[in-house]
């Protein structure tokens, strides 16, 4: 009997094959020949070469979601005893994302940015298929990744690309007044990745040239964008702001229509004055000629000259008044409702720190908390008060006398606005308002919109327009626009006046 052990040197598995032969040969040489012949036909137990395959296209994931990067062996084979490494490929140096070795995860040297966020999906590892799940995806996760399989004698890898996309807020379009002979329109949006494309478009879908473009990237890697266009009177009145994500090929769009009354009109009196001016010159020349020819008419001609001067001055005053009147009518037609509402404050809704005047027209923050009945209508936490009157349709306006100092917010709110605990001062909560603190003004959008107001308004007029679903604010002193809440979703319940105080300054007053 001849006994020997055959252990392949490159065998990745700790297996020893023991083979026993009975040799009845007449000579020792004949036995060795038989043994050599048998051993030469035993297959070598080496690891067969393999390849690693990943997806043939980039994997795209939304910010905050989970990304799953697939990877498998070809041909299919059991990878349970192999080492699987996932690396982040960077130009400077790769970093370890996840490590699987000795049939378990070993992430002691995992890059800090991936700690607690990765999981190797091993449900199909016996068929050579593994996938890496990355949780709570961030913009910084975007890039190339390597999936590497390694046995004792062979290793191979595949490269994958991960794209991260953030779909930001719907575009917010605001009108910021007149500039360069037109109307300055601003489109703003936040929370995009990568930097999106911002376009203004006309009614027929054609792209409109923008005036300025700005962007900013926060600490979280997300982009906020702003695009400004100057709209001329002969340009498109129906227009929209479109923001497109290059990774997702998705867009968000908001539209606006600019009324004719928004544009300054040619004053008919200016046409008259333009005609009178050359006539006046002719008359003046004629008067000079007549003065030289017939001195006896000098007194009459002088009187006529004075009358013409007075007429020109009168026309000039009329032109100034008419221009103001046309501008005011334009703003009123666009933002001011038909009815002037005589509104008052509801003491039953006022926070106990607020003192409502007897005429219910003004409110002041007191120095001590009042002992008032506790009722569900009263604001228990926020220093707010609602108006008695509410509206469900039509167009209405009233004014707030704010004085330009202190900490306050004025606007309108749904009758169902939350009264207990803290509330979010935004349209999502059912509040449309303008806020002031320390000389700074903001529109209480989400996020807030900084406002640049000069001079500071002493009286703010607020328009509640159920026809256009808009809440509009402008300076009641000089008719300058402040801010417009578009698509305000006013229908469904009563909308009431709303005020909030934050210091012991001057009282806020309703007008009239």
């Amino acid at each position: 009997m001849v006994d020997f052990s055959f252990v392949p040197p490159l065998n990745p598995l700790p297996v020893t094959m023991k083979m026993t032969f009975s040799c009845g040969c007449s000579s020792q040489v004949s036995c060795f020949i038989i043994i050599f012949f048998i051993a030469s036909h035993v297959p070598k137990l080496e690891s067969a070469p393999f390849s690693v395959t990943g997806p043939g296209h980039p994997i795209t994931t939304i910010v905050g979601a989970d990304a799953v990067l697939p990877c498998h062996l070809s041909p299919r084979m059991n990878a349970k005893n192999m080492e699987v490494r996932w690396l982040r490929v960077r130009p400077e140096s790769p970093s370890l994302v996840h490590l699987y070795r000795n049939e378990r995860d070993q992430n002691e040297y995992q890059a800090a940015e991936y700690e607690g966020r990765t999981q190797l999906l091993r449900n199909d590892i016996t068929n050579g298929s593994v996938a890496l799940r990355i949780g709570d995806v961030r913009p910084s996760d975007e890039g190339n990744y390597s999936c590497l399989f390694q046995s004792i004698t062979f290793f191979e890898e595949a490269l994958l690309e991960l794209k991260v996309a953030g779909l930001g807020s719907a575009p917010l379009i605001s009108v910021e007044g007149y500039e360069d002979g037109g109307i300055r329109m601003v489109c703003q949006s936040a929370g995009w990745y990568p930097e999106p494309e911002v376009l203004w478009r006309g009614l027929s879908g054609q792209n409109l040239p923008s005036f300025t473009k700005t962007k900013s990237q926060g600490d979280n890697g997300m982009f906020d964008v702003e695009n400004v266009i100057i709209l001329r009177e002969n340009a498109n009145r129906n227009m929209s702001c479109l923001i497109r994500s290059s990774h997702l090929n998705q867009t968000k769009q908001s539209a606006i229509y600019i009324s004719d009354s928004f544009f300054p009109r040619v004053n008919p009196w200016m046409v008259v004055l333009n005609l009178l001016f050359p006539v006046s010159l002719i008359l003046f020349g004629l008067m000079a000629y007549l003065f030289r020819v017939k001195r006896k008419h000098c007194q009459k001609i002088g009187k006529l000259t004075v009358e013409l001067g007075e007429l020109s001055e009168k026309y000039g005053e009329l032109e100034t008044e008419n221009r103001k009147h046309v501008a005011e009518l334009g703003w009123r037609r666009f933002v001011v409702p038909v009815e002037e509402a005589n509104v008052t404050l509801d003491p039953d809704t006022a926070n106990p720190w607020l003192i409502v005047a007897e005429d219910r027209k003004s409110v002041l923050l007191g120095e001590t908390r009042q002992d008032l009945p506790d009722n569900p209508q009263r604001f228990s936490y926020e220093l707010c008060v609602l108006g008695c009157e509410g509206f469900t349709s039509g167009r209405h306006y009233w004014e707030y006398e704010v004085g330009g100092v202190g900490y306050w917010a004025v606007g309108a709110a749904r009758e169902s606005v939350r009264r207990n605990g803290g509330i979010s001062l935004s349209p999502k909560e059912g509040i449309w308002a303008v806020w002031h603190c320390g000389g700074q003004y903001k529109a209480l959008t989400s996020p807030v919109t900084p406002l640049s107001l000069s001079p500071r308004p002493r009286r703010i007029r607020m328009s509640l327009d159920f026809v256009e679903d808009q809440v509009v604010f402008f300076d009641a002193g000089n008719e300058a626009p402040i801010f417009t809440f578009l698509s305000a979703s006013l229908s469904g319940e009563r909308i009431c006046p709303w005020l909030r105080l934050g210091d012991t300054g001057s009282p806020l007053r309703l007008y009239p």
Side-chain angles (χ1 to χ4, degrees), residues 38-91:
I38 296 174
S40 65
H41 286 77
V42 175
K44 293 183 179 180
L45 301 181
E46 294 180 344
S47 293
F50 53 81
S51 63
V52 181
T53 304
H57 56 81
I59 303 296
T60 302
T61 304
I62 300 294
V63 173
D66 292 350
V68 176
L69 306 181
C71 184
H72 68 270
L73 292 175
S74 179
R76 299 282 184 173
M77 63 181 66
N78 192 344
K80 187 176 181 180
N81 295 312
M82 294 186 183
E83 178 178 311
V84 181
R85 293 190 185 189
W86 282 92
L87 303 174
R88 174 71 183 276
V89 181
R90 293 186 173 97

Side-chain angles (χ1 to χ4, degrees), residues 152-167:
I152 293 177
T153 61
F154 196 78
F155 73 91
E156 190 60 71
E157 66 176 337
L159 290 177
L160 301 86
E161 181 181 3
L162 174 63
K163 288 187 176 182
V164 179
L167 202 59

Side-chain angles (χ1 to χ4, degrees), residues 306-338:
V306 173
E307 289 176 350
L308 285 173
E310 292 175 350
L311 181 61
S312 298
E313 183 178 355
K314 184 177 180 180
Y315 282 154
E317 294 175 355
L318 186 59
E319 155 61 17
T320 302
E321 291 297 323
N322 188 63
R323 183 181 301 161
K324 292 181 179 180
H325 183 63
V326 169
E328 182 176 358
L329 286 178
W331 278 111
R332 286 180 179 274
R333 192 179 300 119
F334 184 71
V335 298
V336 179
V338 176

Side-chain angles (χ1 to χ4, degrees), residues 265-415:
R265 294 296 181 190
V266 176
N267 196 326
W269 289 108
M270 182 63 72
V271 177
V272 174
L273 288 176
N274 289 337
L275 293 175
L276 285 178
F277 183 72
V279 173
S280 299
L281 292 178
I282 295 173
L283 289 176
F284 183 79
L286 180 60
M287 287 187 296
Y289 172 76
L290 293 176
F291 179 80
R292 290 193 298 268
V293 176
K294 295 183 179 180
R295 292 182 178 274
K296 63 178 181 179
H297 297 298
C298 62
Q299 184 176 1
K300 184 176 180 180
I301 294 174
K303 184 179 179 181
L304 181 58
T305 303
V306 173
E307 289 176 350
L308 285 173
E310 292 175 350
L311 181 61
S312 298
E313 183 178 355
K314 184 177 180 180
Y315 282 154
E317 294 175 355
L318 186 59
E319 155 61 17
T320 302
E321 291 297 323
N322 188 63
R323 183 181 301 161
K324 292 181 179 180
H325 183 63
V326 169
E328 182 176 358
L329 286 178
W331 278 111
R332 286 180 179 274
R333 192 179 300 119
F334 184 71
V335 298
V336 179
V338 176
E339 292 190 17
E340 179 183 27
N342 187 7
V343 293
T344 57
L345 299 176
D346 185 358
D348 291 336
T349 66
N351 182 281
W353 287 89
L354 300 181
I355 302 174
V356 178
E358 292 185 3
D359 62 358
R360 299 188 178 185
K361 284 290 188 179
S362 64
V363 60
L364 179 68
L365 179 63
E367 297 182 356
T368 59
R369 178 186 173 91
Q370 304 176 83
D371 186 12
L372 298 175
D374 188 12
N375 63 71
Q377 289 80 29
R378 191 178 306 283
F379 288 93
S380 62
Y381 181 79
E382 296 288 346
L383 301 176
C384 302
V385 60
L386 286 177
C388 292
E389 293 74 21
F391 307 94
T392 59
S393 62
R395 290 174 172 172
H396 313 272
Y397 78 91
W398 59 88
E399 296 179 359
Y400 294 102
E401 191 174 299
V402 296
V405 296
Y407 172 29
W408 47 260
V410 296
R414 291 184 177 274
E415 193 173 35

Side-chain angles (χ1 to χ4, degrees), residues 185-326:
M185 311 285 295
V186 180
C187 176
Q188 297 172 311
S189 184
W192 292 86
Y193 187 85
E195 180 187 351
E197 181 182 15
V198 185
L199 298 171
W200 286 98
R201 286 187 172 175
L203 178 61
S204 58
Q206 77 277 20
N207 293 338
L208 305 176
S210 59
F211 183 65
T212 60
K213 296 180 181 180
T214 58
K215 66 175 181 180
S216 60
Q217 190 172 18
D219 296 336
N220 60 355
M222 308 298 280
F223 285 90
D224 297 346
V225 292
E226 179 180 286
N227 196 308
V228 178
I229 189 172
I230 303 300
L231 186 64
R232 303 298 197 279
E233 183 175 3
N234 57 354
N236 291 269
R237 306 297 178 80
N238 286 289
M239 57 189 306
S240 60
C241 179
L242 180 144
I243 303 182
R244 178 187 293 119
S245 168
S246 59
H247 282 3
L248 297 176
N249 197 23
Q250 295 185 19
T251 61
K252 288 195 174 183
Q253 184 173 353
S254 295
I256 189 173
Y257 172 75
I258 303 300
S259 171
D260 289 343
S261 57
F262 228 141
F263 297 92
R265 294 296 181 190
V266 176
N267 196 326
W269 289 108
M270 182 63 72
V271 177
V272 174
L273 288 176
N274 289 337
L275 293 175
L276 285 178
F277 183 72
V279 173
S280 299
L281 292 178
I282 295 173
L283 289 176
F284 183 79
L286 180 60
M287 287 187 296
Y289 172 76
L290 293 176
F291 179 80
R292 290 193 298 268
V293 176
K294 295 183 179 180
R295 292 182 178 274
K296 63 178 181 179
H297 297 298
C298 62
Q299 184 176 1
K300 184 176 180 180
I301 294 174
K303 184 179 179 181
L304 181 58
T305 303
V306 173
E307 289 176 350
L308 285 173
E310 292 175 350
L311 181 61
S312 298
E313 183 178 355
K314 184 177 180 180
Y315 282 154
E317 294 175 355
L318 186 59
E319 155 61 17
T320 302
E321 291 297 323
N322 188 63
R323 183 181 301 161
K324 292 181 179 180
H325 183 63
V326 169

